[in-house]
Amino acid sequence: MTTSLSSLICSLVPAARVNAVLRQDLTAQCQDILSSHIGQSHEVDFNQVVDAIKRKLLRNAPGGTDVLKFTNLLARLLKQHILSRKPEVLSFLTSVAFQEDPSLNPSSLFTRPPSPRRALKSKPATQVKQEPTSRQDTSTGRSKAQILREHRQSKSLHYAPEELLLRDSIYILQGITGKYIQFSSSDEDDDRIVFLEDQVTRYTVSPSTKALVHRLAELGYLYRRVDNFIRERETASGIGMIEQSLCHHLQSQLKEYYRLIAVLETQALSSIPQTGLERSNDNLASETGVSLKRLDVWLNDWRLRMRMMSVCVEGAREAQGGALVNLIHSYTDNGDPFVRNFTHQLLEEVSCPFFATLHKWLFSGDLYDPYGEFFVAVDTTLGPTQVAHPSSLSGGINEISADGGFGAQGGDPDDFAGPPQQGGKLWENKYQLREAMLPNFVGKSSGTKARILSTGKSLNFIRYSCHDSEWVVTREKMSSFRGTLKYSDVNGLEKSIDSAYRLASHRLFEVFIEKFKLLDHLSALKHYLFLGHGDFADQLMDALGPSLAKPANALYRHNLTATLETAIRSSNAQHDTPDVLRRLDARMLEYSHGEIGWDVFTLEYKVDAPIDTVLDALAMEGYLKLFRHLWQMKRVEKTLDRSWSRVISGARTFIRVPELEHEWHKIRISISEMIHFIRQVEAYCRLEVIECSWKVLIDFLNKKEGDLDSIIGAHRTYLDRVVKKIFLWNMKLGKEEVVHNMMKDAFAIVLMYREAMENFYNHCLSEAARRDQAADEQRGVFTGKYEPSASEDVAQTLTTRLHQYGQNFSDKVQSIVQHLQVHPDLDCRFLAIRLSFSDYYKSRKEARS
Amino acid sequence: MATRESDRNASAQQTLDILYEMSQLLNTQLTKETLATCIGMIENGVNPDALAAAIQELRRENAAATLSTAQHRDPSVLPR
């Protein structure tokens, strides 16, 4: 040091070569200057120096050739590795040059505070910058930073150079563990990173840099999660289509991410040609290349995106299919336009398979949902299994007609294949709504989802259950409406759903009414089971009457069916279509010991698929119950008719027992009361219940609105109304069947009365015969052995019984009337008025009380 | 080993040439030898600004010395 100083002095001050005193003097002076504070107030910044030199050169020689020359020299200088302190050398040159130029104050250039932008950029560089020189810092006024730095130096701990951290950060971004920064473990859930700052690497990382790296590492962590998810799904089987498309979208996003990382990496590498070898280049790199802070800024956008992706991934673990779409859709209501756009994009892609399924379902009635993601679930145990393949979506008509929708099982009229309730169950249970899978944007209005379900169901039903060959026409009509369904076009979606729904349900209506003659079946049920064809009922009653009086176990079904056949032939029913008559059948219910034919006989109307969708088992049960009740009523009416003829003609013509005339009169009064009762009840059932309900039903069917569900609903209402009113059901709990039971009792009493009357008639007849015999004997004509008169008490018992039954009947009807008067149903109250038209029962009651 | 040493020398020479050119470009009026000495000192850790100040001081001294030799009898100009 001293020798070089003295040589310097010698070369600069030739006088000192000879003058030793002067030389010593100057040496001391120079030592003083060198150890002073000059130039220690700031760090030497390479770029600053270069900039200053260029500026000065430009001022001296405005042509710019000097600057060019200097740049050239600088480039050459940078290639030389012999110097370790290039900035300092340059700084020295500048200082000397500026001293030559008195117009420029060098201190103004070097001591000015760095501009804020520069300060920001160069900060990490200064932080991690090593100070390999042992500075001749002998001054006492050291700053705390300097003390700290020295302490670190003494412990041989250095800040890790930024480019190393940068390289590691870029690794971390790709989920790769770096040399100095590592993921704490390979476990994905452990999201910590650790800095290796031990004795091996001899580097330490300042807390601010750590925070920065942590921020960057979040991306790496998220990336790992997303990437793992995609890998997992790629290899796994049975992944839903929506999830697959989510994976695809994530994959394409990740591709963008890779591209970004590749760009970053090239930038980082190109700005640092010899990473870590040349200290002097650090500052240049921090000026033009990538720094941790810049990385952070550039990746900010991606951080948000990665977070969104990671959220989706999380969601996909728990939800699938429509629920997943739903989950993503819930993020579209975000105030942040970035999040919103991202989700929209994602949804557009993810909802594609959903809409494809929806499209197929809406326009073809096929449910192609191999992974159970759609919001309509199919019960494969029911109904004809169909193989819906994706190609039929885009396929032509030929293909559709070839896929066995019809023709496979043509309408063989005698084919009652399968269990009879299949159709109804098929419609109701085959396809069910899965609420969880319903995307919000589809089911905004509550009706939409029902319409979607109904449309698909209708089409499916038309195709596979009705074997309707003309559904292709419907399909054609629909295809004119359909566009492509997309997430971005929700309004168009609603419109398509509406039109599809209208067409499909209309078609189904037509199929049911025109092809399957629903109306014919309904009226047949009304005519036969509700005894609408009076002549047929009479014939049947007449033909069956005698055999039905026998015990149930003496009846045979073939006899019954033969009788039924006779009844049909001999009545107007023979003009009905064979298809209807074919379905009519006589049957016996399960009977127990002691029951007679009347109790077990029933008429049956057989329905098959697909009509049994409307006329399901439950409805048929209702029909049967009603038939039995009406049949019973008919029987009572018939009985009374016959009784009346006996009372009016027989009793007047043959019986000549004057003392019993009065009894007969009473019987006539009783029977006419009964007839009045049964006629009113029958008229009520026929006119006010059956016909009124029927009109409502027919009106609905003529409107041709709504889908199959509404037909089923209308028919159910019709039947319910009829059942309720005919059975006079009271809505009050526990009293539903009170009036109905009383009615049955009344019927029973009528039948017993008739029996008692028959007995009495026979008694009177034999009495009259006996009296005739006696009269003949008196005239001397022997007509047989005289039998002593039957005891008076036989007639007495018979009349008492008759009287009792008559009284019972009156009481019964009276209480029926009483109940009906307070019945909640208005029609039933009118029945009460009809039954007791002139307040007959009321006055009776008052008279008795 | 010899080649490395010569390489090193050559490269040092080259560096010095470049720096000398720069110095001429900047019009520092340093001779090549002085420059070499200065670079050596800076490489040894001397603060460049301080060194520049020292050189300026020396130059001023030199100017004073030459002045004093020119006006040898003038007592007002004395070496410090």
Side-chain angles (χ1 to χ4, degrees):
Chain A
M1 169 67 72
T2 325
T3 51
S4 45
L5 195 59
S6 64
S7 77
L8 193 65
I9 289 164
C10 287
S11 72
L12 277 175
V13 190
R17 288 179 199 159
V18 287
N19 192 345
V21 180
L22 180 62
R23 193 165 66 221
Q24 274 184 359
D25 228 12
L26 285 176
T27 311
Q29 201 175 346
C30 286
Q31 291 275 24
D32 267 0
I33 293 173
L34 289 184
S35 58
S36 74
H37 278 297
I38 293 179
Q40 289 187 352
S41 56
H42 63 93
E43 303 271 341
V44 180
D45 185 342
F46 187 81
N47 294 297
Q48 267 183 6
V49 176
V50 171
D51 276 354
I53 293 171
K54 282 183 179 167
R55 233 174 291 141
K56 179 174 181 292
L57 288 175
L58 208 61
R59 199 169 44 239
N60 287 354
T65 49
D66 282 355
V67 178
L68 213 63
K69 220 191 269 176
F70 175 75
T71 319
N72 212 351
L73 287 172
L74 191 67
R76 279 165 59 193
L77 179 67
L78 288 178
K79 279 189 203 140
Q80 302 295 330
H81 305 306
I82 196 110
L83 286 186
S84 61
R85 304 190 68 202
K86 282 172 188 157
E88 279 79 5
V89 172
L90 278 183
S91 159
F92 161 72
L93 284 180
T94 332
S95 299
V96 176
F98 287 149
Q99 282 157 6
E100 298 303 311
D101 185 1
S103 67
L104 202 70
N105 182 8
S107 64
S108 72
L109 260 174
F110 284 106
T111 55
R112 71 163 178 204
S115 67
R117 182 177 157 269
R118 186 161 295 184
L120 190 76
K121 295 265 167 72
S122 59
K123 196 173 157 200
T126 54
Q127 271 180 349
V128 297
K129 188 172 152 62
Q130 276 187 307
E131 295 292 330
T133 58
S134 53
R135 190 171 289 192
Q136 297 175 329
D137 197 355
T138 52
S139 67
T140 49
R142 293 180 303 178
S143 66
K144 293 244 165 65
Q146 277 172 331
I147 298 169
L148 196 63
R149 197 176 297 141
E150 273 171 13
H151 167 72
R152 281 205 200 96
Q153 242 165 16
S154 66
K155 293 223 162 195
S156 76
L157 283 173
H158 307 300
Y159 280 138
E162 182 170 9
E163 68 269 3
L164 292 183
L165 289 180
L166 198 59
R167 197 187 54 198
D168 276 8
S169 298
I170 290 176
Y171 285 151
I172 289 284
L173 287 182
Q174 302 164 76
I176 304 169
T177 289
K179 190 174 175 191
Y180 303 103
I181 312 168
Q182 297 186 330
F183 286 106
S184 59
S185 67
S186 57
D187 188 9
E188 191 197 341
D189 294 328
D190 199 355
D191 55 349
R192 280 185 313 118
I193 55 169
V194 288
F195 294 92
L196 286 182
E197 37 190 20
D198 54 2
Q199 292 302 313
V200 183
T201 54
R202 295 193 166 271
Y203 285 128
T204 175
V205 182
S206 69
S208 61
T209 317
K210 270 189 190 171
L212 207 58
V213 172
H214 269 297
R215 274 166 68 81
L216 290 172
E218 183 194 346
L219 258 168
Y221 164 68
L222 292 176
Y223 163 79
R224 286 221 304 192
R225 263 163 67 145
V226 175
D227 194 48
N228 277 350
F229 173 76
I230 293 173
R231 265 159 226 265
E232 207 175 279
R233 294 299 134 126
E234 261 172 5
T235 51
S237 61
I239 300 299
M241 286 198 291
I242 287 179
E243 223 157 306
Q244 284 168 3
S245 77
L246 174 70
C247 278
H248 170 77
H249 186 80
L250 292 180
Q251 189 80 65
S252 62
Q253 289 284 329
L254 283 188
K255 218 174 278 164
E256 291 282 313
Y257 181 69
Y258 293 145
R259 200 167 291 152
L260 176 74
I261 289 202
V263 169
L264 286 178
E265 199 156 18
T266 22
Q267 284 230 357
L269 284 180
S270 68
S271 62
I272 312 169
Q274 287 92 25
T275 312
L277 284 178
E278 219 166 328
R279 305 244 55 80
S280 55
N281 280 359
D282 297 358
N283 297 330
L284 186 67
S286 70
E287 182 67 22
T288 58
V290 188
S291 67
L292 283 177
K293 286 221 163 72
R294 282 182 197 196
L295 210 56
D296 186 40
V297 171
W298 288 339
L299 288 173
N300 222 353
D301 211 26
W302 267 99
R303 183 169 303 128
L304 207 54
R305 212 176 285 193
M306 273 292 188
R307 279 184 194 157
M308 289 300 305
M309 282 156 76
S310 154
V311 164
C312 294
V313 165
E314 278 307 292
R317 284 193 203 287
E318 282 138 31
Q320 68 138 8
L324 182 59
V325 175
N326 240 348
L327 184 90
I328 299 171
H329 182 256
S330 66
Y331 290 105
T332 51
D333 298 331
N334 199 305
D336 187 343
F338 177 81
V339 176
R340 213 161 46 216
N341 285 341
F342 179 80
T343 6
H344 268 289
Q345 234 176 1
L346 182 62
L347 262 189
E348 190 76 44
E349 192 124 345
V350 166
S351 59
C352 257
F354 167 78
F355 277 112
T357 315
L358 180 65
H359 191 279
K360 245 168 115 44
W361 173 248
L362 269 184
F363 296 116
S364 313
D366 277 337
L367 187 65
Y368 181 68
D369 185 19
Y371 301 108
E373 297 170 297
F374 200 53
F375 61 86
V376 176
V378 62
D379 186 349
T380 43
T381 56
L382 287 168
T385 49
Q386 10 147 338
V387 188
H389 45 91
S391 60
S392 70
L393 180 63
S394 51
I397 297 163
N398 294 336
E399 196 179 334
I400 297 303
S401 55
D403 71 357
F406 49 89
Q409 5 174 325
D412 181 6
D414 292 325
D415 182 20
F416 285 100
Q421 332 66 333
Q422 197 191 25
K425 269 211 188 127
L426 193 70
W427 171 261
E428 283 191 5
N429 300 336
K430 182 159 184 192
Y431 294 105
Q432 299 282 1
L433 218 52
R434 257 197 301 235
E435 290 284 345
M437 293 292 173
L438 183 71
N440 289 332
F441 50 86
V442 173
K444 261 181 204 153
S445 54
S446 56
T448 313
K449 59 185 176 195
R451 276 209 292 275
I452 294 175
L453 179 68
S454 164
T455 307
K457 254 162 73 174
S458 303
L459 282 175
N460 195 284
F461 201 75
I462 290 172
R463 279 181 72 178
Y464 294 105
S465 298
C466 305
H467 310 304
D468 179 20
S469 53
E470 285 147 40
W471 87 274
V472 180
V473 182
T474 319
R475 187 185 147 86
E476 282 299 290
K477 256 194 252 167
M478 279 181 163
S479 59
S480 64
F481 277 95
R482 79 170 139 201
T484 42
L485 301 177
K486 272 195 308 190
Y487 167 67
S488 47
D489 186 21
V490 171
N491 285 340
L493 175 72
E494 298 256 323
K495 232 178 275 168
S496 320
I497 290 170
D498 275 357
S499 61
Y501 170 73
R502 241 191 339 269
L503 277 169
S505 53
H506 187 75
R507 178 69 202 144
L508 192 60
F509 231 93
E510 275 179 5
V511 166
F512 260 88
I513 290 181
E514 278 164 27
K515 185 157 182 242
F516 294 105
K517 312 242 182 283
L518 178 65
L519 217 51
D520 286 4
H521 291 297
L522 286 178
S523 55
L525 279 168
K526 175 168 161 273
H527 288 155
Y528 297 113
L529 291 195
F530 288 172
L531 305 177
H533 275 334
D535 55 343
F536 165 77
D538 282 351
Q539 289 290 342
L540 189 66
M541 185 76 66
D542 284 347
L544 275 176
S547 51
L548 285 183
K550 287 189 222 160
N553 53 9
L555 284 174
Y556 295 102
R557 186 157 171 237
H558 51 88
N559 290 340
L560 293 180
T561 42
T563 325
L564 176 68
E565 200 74 4
T566 321
I568 289 171
R569 293 268 165 74
S570 54
S571 72
N572 264 331
Q574 59 180 309
H575 301 303
D576 231 329
T577 53
D579 182 48
V580 166
L581 295 178
R582 175 176 67 84
R583 291 162 192 277
L584 215 50
D585 191 20
R587 202 161 68 88
M588 285 186 296
L589 300 173
E590 294 284 319
Y591 55 81
S592 55
H593 182 70
E595 283 186 312
I596 59 165
W598 288 107
D599 296 323
V600 295
F601 170 76
T602 185
L603 211 55
E604 197 181 31
Y605 192 81
K606 282 182 180 156
V607 284
D608 53 355
I611 283 295
D612 61 356
T613 309
V614 178
L615 304 173
D616 55 4
L618 201 71
M620 294 321 286
E621 206 177 297
Y623 274 113
L624 285 193
K625 254 178 21 190
L626 276 171
F627 169 76
R628 292 191 58 205
H629 186 71
L630 291 171
W631 183 247
Q632 187 80 4
M633 213 181 279
K634 193 84 186 167
R635 177 189 172 200
V636 171
E637 190 209 337
K638 270 287 180 204
T639 313
L640 283 174
D641 279 354
R642 244 171 284 132
S643 310
W644 187 248
S645 70
R646 179 141 296 175
V647 166
I648 294 304
S649 55
R652 282 205 177 144
T653 321
F654 304 117
I655 295 169
R656 300 261 180 266
V657 189
E659 68 268 25
L660 292 178
E661 266 314 310
H662 183 63
E663 287 304 323
W664 278 112
H665 183 66
K666 275 189 192 163
I667 288 172
R668 276 192 288 273
I669 290 175
S670 274
I671 286 186
S672 66
E673 187 188 340
M674 290 170 188
I675 288 177
H676 167 79
F677 171 76
I678 206 78
R679 287 267 156 85
Q680 290 310 320
V681 172
E682 272 199 322
Y684 159 79
C685 289
R686 176 74 26 214
L687 297 177
E688 277 168 42
V689 180
I690 296 176
E691 289 299 337
C692 286
S693 312
W694 175 252
K695 186 168 185 316
V696 174
L697 179 67
I698 291 301
D699 281 350
F700 169 79
L701 288 180
N702 284 339
K703 265 193 292 180
K704 298 198 173 181
E705 272 171 16
D707 55 358
L708 187 54
D709 272 327
S710 64
I711 300 182
I712 295 174
H715 177 255
R716 209 163 273 167
T717 331
Y718 159 72
L719 197 61
D720 275 355
R721 187 183 144 133
V722 172
V723 168
K724 221 177 281 169
K725 294 201 176 192
I726 285 188
F727 287 163
L728 299 169
W729 269 356
N730 199 329
M731 280 306 108
K732 266 188 228 151
L733 200 69
K735 292 174 99 181
E736 287 97 341
E737 302 216 346
V738 172
V739 188
H740 179 55
N741 285 337
M742 283 200 271
M743 199 71 104
K744 277 206 249 177
D745 289 349
F747 291 165
I749 291 167
V750 170
L751 291 178
M752 285 193 288
Y753 188 88
R754 137 107 195 181
E755 205 168 324
M757 192 208 77
E758 208 67 30
N759 285 343
F760 184 61
Y761 177 79
N762 287 339
H763 171 76
C764 290
L765 213 55
S766 58
E767 181 64 25
R770 199 182 55 77
R771 289 194 185 180
D772 278 353
Q773 220 172 10
D776 285 346
E777 241 175 9
Q778 275 175 1
R779 279 189 286 140
V781 183
F782 182 74
T783 49
K785 192 173 175 257
Y786 176 76
E787 286 178 17
S789 164
S791 58
E792 268 300 305
D793 33 304
V794 172
Q796 191 62 39
T797 342
L798 287 174
T799 49
T800 327
R801 202 184 291 163
L802 273 174
H803 186 71
Q804 193 188 338
Y805 285 151
Q807 191 58 46
N808 278 355
F809 180 77
S810 274
D811 290 348
K812 215 39 132 182
V813 174
Q814 193 180 336
S815 58
I816 287 176
V817 168
Q818 263 174 10
H819 274 97
L820 285 181
Q821 270 166 348
V822 293
H823 202 279
D825 195 318
L826 208 63
D827 285 335
C828 297
R829 261 188 258 173
F830 275 122
L831 176 63
I833 289 167
R834 291 169 79 159
L835 285 179
S836 152
F837 189 70
S838 51
D839 278 347
Y840 171 73
Y841 290 103
K842 195 177 164 195
S843 53
R844 255 177 61 98
K845 190 184 165 196
E846 277 163 5
R848 279 175 62 193
S849 60
Chain B
M1 200 44 120
T3 54
R4 183 177 289 182
E5 195 61 36
S6 68
D7 273 0
R8 203 178 145 77
N9 280 338
S11 95
Q13 192 60 43
Q14 237 177 341
T15 312
L16 187 60
D17 286 348
I18 293 166
L19 283 175
Y20 182 62
E21 259 186 83
M22 274 188 178
S23 125
Q24 286 201 315
L25 203 63
L26 288 168
N27 200 19
T28 52
Q29 295 174 349
L30 293 169
T31 61
K32 211 167 186 171
E33 291 76 39
T34 324
L35 189 61
T37 318
C38 289
I39 291 167
M41 286 173 78
I42 290 170
E43 283 294 295
N44 280 332
V46 176
N47 190 305
D49 283 348
L51 188 59
I55 284 172
Q56 196 186 17
E57 187 63 33
L58 289 175
R59 275 188 180 146
R60 217 178 47 216
E61 207 65 50
N62 187 32
T66 47
L67 206 64
S68 68
T69 47
Q71 305 165 346
H72 207 61
R73 312 281 175 248
D74 193 353
S76 64
V77 186
L78 282 173
R80 273 191 295 179

